[in-house]
Amino acid sequence: MSPTLAQVTGPAYTRIYSYGAARGENAVPNEDLIGPIDSSDEWIRQRTGIITRVRADKNTDAIDLAAEAASEAIEKSGVPADQVDLVIVATISNPKQTPSVSAIVADRVGANPAAAYDINAACAGYAYAIAQADALIKAGAARYALVIGTEKLSDVVDPTDRSISFLLGDGAGAALLGPSDTPGIAPAVWGSDGSKADAVGMNATLTDFRDGVAPWPTLRQEGQTVFRWAVWEMAKVAREALDKAGVEPTDIAAFIPHQANMRIIDEFAKQLKLPESTVIARDIETTGNTSAASIPLASHRLMAEHPELSGGLALQIGFGAGLVFAAQVVVLP
């Protein structure tokens, strides 16, 4: 008779214990960017809601930002760093193709020898990583997980690109997850539509750059295509996430969407019929669009400004390049 393989299981539920954050060192106002795109402060504010965005110093990279945010999340959680046995980093701005940001960060914060890997799901990356950490803890593959979204998008910006250059910022947000006696993270609604991958992403490949076929690759987008997709399709995803969690819009204490555009955020809230009591994250106003970092950064600021939200329900949704999306309801730490 063949031996039966041993199996492990984890806790029935997980929750977020704490958040950490790191923002680029420099506040960059609209006035500093309008020349190359022949625009104005008023035009940027009206179209995006951004007044300033944060960008990192030249010598600060996405790894530095991630380690700073992770250290704060660990400290606030009360979980010793050496007990963190899983680190997932969502990013599109690793300064090297390899090694992973996650392995370096795990070492910097004292979490060796945690399992560590990066994921590339752009602006949905953090929500993807939360879903994965939740599942892996419940499966018994980890006990405490560090989830980080980190970006230095200023390295991949063309200052003359009117479609996206003025949107982007730099920063990192982190969350520490672990076992819970009650449900703290609802099932995710996630997916993609790669048929529209050209709507937002890089305008060239690294091999094109190496071969002299294209200049340094930068981010670009078809603004109207992305706006329409986000407003109409992502509102459906958000509603599905509420249904999957078994809650109503009136149960939501906070709404934390990817900080892509203030007009998108406002339209979301309108379509979801969120009550006036729901606090809506608007971190984009002074941070900018930080892709995978935007939801945890917005969550961190929201909890700092509204500690009374602790224990309440938050609906978070990420969406971005590759038309990848993920939404879930979580209990705020």
Side-chain angles (χ1 to χ4, degrees):
M1 180 182 294
S2 299
T4 301
L5 294 176
Q7 300 290 290
V8 297
T9 56
Y13 311 117
T14 71
R15 65 180 175 90
I16 296 172
Y17 288 18
S18 60
Y19 292 117
R23 288 177 166 81
E25 298 92 339
N26 308 298
V28 181
N30 293 336
E31 288 85 351
D32 288 2
L33 306 178
I34 58 179
I37 59 172
D38 190 24
S39 186
S40 67
D41 171 61
E42 181 183 11
W43 183 84
I44 293 175
R45 291 190 190 215
Q46 287 180 348
R47 291 181 66 84
T48 70
I50 298 174
I51 299 172
T52 62
R53 74 283 297 136
V54 290
R55 290 187 174 172
D57 289 342
K58 181 179 180 180
N59 294 326
T60 299
D61 61 23
I63 301 170
D64 300 323
L65 294 165
E68 182 180 342
S71 294
E72 181 187 353
I74 292 172
E75 182 180 355
K76 285 183 174 179
S77 73
V79 175
D82 61 4
Q83 291 188 26
V84 175
D85 48 5
L86 174 63
V87 178
I88 308 175
V89 171
T91 187
I92 61 170
S93 46
N94 185 346
K96 298 180 179 179
Q97 295 293 97
T98 193
S100 68
V101 173
S102 55
I104 298 171
V105 170
D107 179 60
R108 286 193 187 180
V109 300
N112 267 342
Y117 64 94
D118 294 356
I119 63 172
N120 180 343
C123 308
Y126 170 79
Y128 260 62
I130 289 289
Q132 292 179 35
D134 169 56
L136 288 167
I137 294 171
K138 288 176 181 175
R143 183 164 179 81
Y144 297 108
L146 189 59
V147 170
I148 308 165
T150 185
E151 305 288 9
K152 190 183 181 187
L153 300 179
S154 58
D155 283 344
V156 287
V157 168
D158 174 359
T160 68
D161 186 339
R162 192 179 173 90
S163 77
I164 201 170
S165 63
F166 53 89
L167 288 169
L168 305 177
D170 302 334
L176 197 293
L177 281 67
S180 175
D181 294 332
T182 56
I185 299 173
V189 176
W190 55 355
S192 66
D193 183 2
S195 69
K196 297 183 179 67
D198 290 341
V200 56
M202 304 302 289
N203 62 0
T205 67
L206 288 176
T207 51
D208 288 338
F209 175 68
R210 178 199 65 193
D211 297 339
V213 176
W216 176 249
T218 56
L219 285 166
R220 40 76 56 203
Q221 70 173 345
E222 296 174 7
Q224 286 303 311
T225 299
V226 174
F227 183 89
R228 287 193 296 269
W229 171 73
V231 166
W232 301 112
E233 297 304 320
M234 292 305 96
K236 298 175 187 176
V237 171
R239 282 193 290 268
E240 188 177 347
L242 292 173
D243 291 342
K244 211 164 186 177
V247 299
E248 301 293 332
T250 51
D251 297 319
I252 299 300
F255 178 44
I256 312 174
H258 164 50
Q259 303 292 292
N261 182 307
M262 195 76 80
R263 291 163 62 206
I264 292 175
I265 294 171
D266 290 340
E267 187 60 33
F268 268 163
K270 179 180 177 181
Q271 289 199 39
L272 291 171
K273 295 181 171 60
L274 296 174
E276 289 187 8
S277 59
T278 300
V279 180
I280 300 174
R282 302 183 186 277
D283 192 45
I284 189 172
E285 187 175 62
T286 55
T287 300
N289 179 340
T290 53
S291 189
S294 79
I295 294 176
L297 279 173
S299 301
H300 180 274
R301 174 164 283 169
L302 206 67
M303 294 306 299
E305 295 177 349
H306 298 277
E308 73 278 6
L309 293 175
S310 179
L313 298 181
L315 170 61
Q316 60 185 34
I317 177 168
F319 51 90
L323 301 201
V324 174
F325 58 86
Q328 65 253 114
V329 176
V330 303
V331 176
L332 292 168

